[in-house]
Amino acid sequence: MQYMMMIVEDEAHYAAPGAFEAIVAKHMAFGQKHGASIVGGNGLQVSATATTVRTEGGSTSIHDGPFAESREQLGGYYVIEAADLDAAIAIAKDVPLAADGAIEIRPVLAQGG
């Protein structure tokens, strides 16, 4: 079964000199360790580059930035193949974070529904 693991943390942690390079190195090590399970994934540019398309009551509006007003933002994701949720959780525990944050795990819908 495939699972998406969304990396949610405060992107301000990456402002310190060398912080971005340090977390990239940790993700490279994570990829080496769990490469057989990783189907895809990527980091995302900072939330200031986001555009949100929102539909409400049949009307669509476009907004600069992420929709959620939050200190923590979606910074990247992995799609993994795991036998079950317990196996996905075990992998998620290894996903590097710069500081406090969360890894949200969701099963991917099978093709066709």
Side-chain angles (χ1 to χ4, degrees):
M1 175 160 220
Q2 289 188 353
Y3 294 87
M4 177 177 252
M5 301 188 310
M6 293 165 277
I7 304 165
V8 182
E9 60 186 328
D10 185 346
E11 61 194 11
H13 294 296
Y14 296 101
F20 181 75
E21 293 79 6
I23 198 69
V24 167
K26 290 179 181 178
H27 279 280
M28 297 299 286
F30 173 82
Q32 294 260 331
K33 181 176 181 181
H34 295 288
S37 298
I38 296 172
V39 175
N42 229 322
L44 301 174
Q45 291 190 19
V46 296
S47 60
T49 65
T51 301
T52 300
V53 178
R54 179 162 177 78
T55 302
E56 190 170 335
S59 295
T60 302
S61 58
I62 312 297
H63 304 274
D64 290 335
F67 175 70
E69 294 293 329
S70 172
R71 189 180 91 251
E72 293 182 331
Q73 297 296 333
L74 177 63
Y77 65 95
Y78 287 100
V79 177
I80 62 164
E81 186 76 39
D84 54 30
L85 180 58
D86 290 334
I89 290 170
I91 294 171
K93 287 180 178 180
D94 283 344
V95 174
L97 296 170
D100 294 339
I103 308 300
E104 181 178 337
I105 305 166
R106 289 197 199 178
V108 174
L109 287 173
Q111 282 214 318

